[in-house]
Amino acid sequence: MSERTRDERISILLKLLSQRGELKVCSLPAILGASGATVRRDLAVMEEKGLIRRSYGKVTAARSSAELPVSLRHSLNIEAKRRIGALASSLIPYRPLTLALSGGSTVRSVARNLAGRADLTVVTNSLDTAASLLSRQAVEVVVTGGHARPLSNDLVGKAAEKSLRSHRFDYAIVGADGVSLETGITRHSGSGASIDRIMMEQADHRIVVADSSKLGRAHAAKIADLDTVQAIVTDSHADPALVAALRRIGLAVTLVVVPPSARK
């Protein structure tokens, strides 16, 4: 088994802290499969980023959510996101279209693949998505108003919602923190979920992009029911039973092939 990256270890710790409230530092090397020195360095990074508090041999979460900051999310499941972005972008026809793209590291990969398309107008609330689209100076990019959410680099709030409602989209491509049969498409953030919901409501075609680690998970903030989505693009490490169940309810689920060696 390959050694976990720091971002993967931090993700595990945040999830455990959201479930348990606190963890004993002495138990972390066994939990993470890492040395004590590695764990201490990880905790120092987490404390510096304001993710945890340390005291008397214990760590507690500095906030209730297990959501990773976007700076850490970008380095998780890189190859899966790269391939999902390439495949999802190929679903967009070559003609003048108006798209809505949400935030998130997987949607950012989609944006990179669309950046050379001069026939597209893209409306986004994500500063990272906008930056990726502007890299080739071909796509017409419209960024919503709103206030910035530091964990995601997305613009949220009433101004962002009003901006999105003033548009009609041919396609909406949104990311997700969770995709489950019971709960549907979900996010960690309620404000982020509201933005994604409006994008989907204003679109004729709705595509969800999510790497396989998001499938089978559910979070507090609901974006939409599964029956409002036409397609989900994920990777080949998704649970086959869940993929089959999603297809039975009418979803077009596309899997990009990611070798086990590239699953980081």
Side-chain angles (χ1 to χ4, degrees), residues 218-240:
H219 299 284
K222 186 168 183 174
I223 299 172
D225 292 319
L226 290 171
D227 61 6
T228 65
V229 177
Q230 280 87 38
I232 294 178
V233 184
T234 186
D235 65 80
S236 55
H237 296 285
D239 178 3

Side-chain angles (χ1 to χ4, degrees), residues 45-120:
V45 170
M46 294 176 75
E47 190 170 35
E48 182 182 354
K49 291 180 177 292
L51 300 175
I52 60 166
R53 299 186 182 92
R54 290 196 284 182
S55 62
Y56 306 109
K58 296 179 181 180
V59 292
T60 57
R63 50 190 175 80
S64 58
S65 173
E67 181 181 8
L68 281 173
V70 69
S71 59
L72 298 178
R73 276 183 274 144
H74 285 325
S75 58
L76 291 175
N77 301 318
I78 296 172
E79 185 61 19
K81 292 172 182 176
R82 186 186 70 78
R83 297 187 185 205
I84 289 169
L87 189 285
S89 66
S90 75
L91 301 178
I92 306 304
Y94 278 84
R95 63 174 186 267
L97 295 169
T98 300
L99 275 57
L101 295 187
S102 73
S105 52
T106 309
V107 177
R108 185 185 184 187
S109 179
V110 179
R112 285 173 176 159
N113 283 274
L114 294 173
R117 293 275 303 270
D119 55 344
L120 298 179

Side-chain angles (χ1 to χ4, degrees), residues 6-259:
R6 170 172 289 172
D7 293 349
E8 289 171 328
R9 295 192 298 270
I10 289 175
S11 178
I12 290 169
L13 289 177
L14 288 176
K15 288 169 189 172
L16 288 173
L17 285 170
S18 71
Q19 296 165 0
R20 304 180 189 179
E22 69 175 27
L23 295 168
K24 292 182 179 179
V25 173
C26 63
S27 70
L28 299 184
I31 290 172
L32 298 173
S35 69
T38 295
V39 169
R40 287 192 292 274
R41 288 193 292 269
D42 291 348
L43 295 178
V45 170
M46 294 176 75
E47 190 170 35
E48 182 182 354
K49 291 180 177 292
L51 300 175
I52 60 166
R53 299 186 182 92
R54 290 196 284 182
S55 62
Y56 306 109
K58 296 179 181 180
V59 292
T60 57
R63 50 190 175 80
S64 58
S65 173
E67 181 181 8
L68 281 173
V70 69
S71 59
L72 298 178
R73 276 183 274 144
H74 285 325
S75 58
L76 291 175
N77 301 318
I78 296 172
E79 185 61 19
K81 292 172 182 176
R82 186 186 70 78
R83 297 187 185 205
I84 289 169
L87 189 285
S89 66
S90 75
L91 301 178
I92 306 304
Y94 278 84
R95 63 174 186 267
L97 295 169
T98 300
L99 275 57
L101 295 187
S102 73
S105 52
T106 309
V107 177
R108 185 185 184 187
S109 179
V110 179
R112 285 173 176 159
N113 283 274
L114 294 173
R117 293 275 303 270
D119 55 344
L120 298 179
T121 297
V122 176
V123 182
T124 184
N125 69 311
S126 167
L127 301 178
D128 289 342
T129 298
S132 294
L133 290 165
L134 289 167
S135 64
R136 300 276 294 277
Q137 300 183 18
V139 177
E140 181 179 348
V141 180
V142 178
V143 181
T144 69
H147 61 269
R149 185 170 176 269
L151 275 176
S152 61
N153 290 347
D154 294 343
L155 301 174
V156 297
K158 297 299 182 184
E161 294 174 6
K162 182 179 179 181
S163 176
L164 288 169
R165 287 196 176 99
S166 70
H167 295 273
R168 190 70 200 173
F169 307 112
D170 297 292
Y171 286 83
I173 302 179
V174 302
D177 296 318
V179 177
S180 78
L181 290 169
E182 297 77 17
T183 312
I185 314 299
T186 56
R187 284 276 197 197
H188 288 287
S189 161
S191 58
S194 294
I195 293 293
D196 293 349
R197 189 181 311 117
I198 295 168
M199 286 183 176
M200 294 177 70
E201 289 171 350
Q202 297 294 107
D204 296 328
H205 303 279
R206 295 165 291 280
I207 299 171
V208 172
V209 291
D211 71 75
S212 58
S213 70
K214 312 297 173 35
L215 269 65
R217 294 185 180 178
H219 299 284
K222 186 168 183 174
I223 299 172
D225 292 319
L226 290 171
D227 61 6
T228 65
V229 177
Q230 280 87 38
I232 294 178
V233 184
T234 186
D235 65 80
S236 55
H237 296 285
D239 178 3
L242 179 54
V243 171
L246 292 170
R247 286 172 173 164
R248 280 197 298 271
I249 63 174
L251 277 171
V253 182
T254 302
L255 306 178
V256 297
V257 177
V258 178

